Amino acid sequence: AAAAGFLCERIRAGFVHFDWNGIRAGLGLTLSAGINQWREGLGPEALLAQADANLYEAKRRGRNCVVPAS
């Protein structure tokens, strides 16, 4: 989960500096992400449902952030 959070933060930060052929796009791109971590007894549906809930929490927080597994 920590590695996933680190990767999502790097991608999110990359959106701020997005450019096309050396020209900054200025598109105002942002990234919201929700992360979850598999635990014993957690099925795929529950795993994705919690990641999705974390994604929507990121959006409720104002977007452009990563909400890690709880």
Side-chain angles (χ1 to χ4, degrees), residues 14-61:
F15 273 71
V16 174
H17 304 292
F18 180 78
D19 66 273
W20 183 260
N21 292 328
I23 301 169
R24 182 159 281 180
L27 299 175
L29 298 174
T30 63
L31 177 118
S32 298
I35 300 171
N36 196 15
Q37 182 172 342
W38 181 81
R39 296 177 301 284
E40 187 69 36
L42 187 65
E45 294 86 7
L47 180 72
L48 290 175
Q50 185 58 55
D52 193 47
N54 291 352
L55 167 63
Y56 281 97
E57 176 60 26
K59 291 181 178 192
R60 275 191 291 279
R61 291 181 185 182

Side-chain angles (χ1 to χ4, degrees), residues 1-16 29-36 51 54-55 58 63-69:
F6 179 76
L7 179 60
C8 285
E9 283 294 345
R10 286 192 62 197
I11 294 168
R12 187 192 63 75
F15 273 71
V16 174
L29 298 174
T30 63
L31 177 118
S32 298
I35 300 171
N36 196 15
N54 291 352
L55 167 63
R63 301 178 185 251
N64 199 32
C65 67
V66 177
V67 174

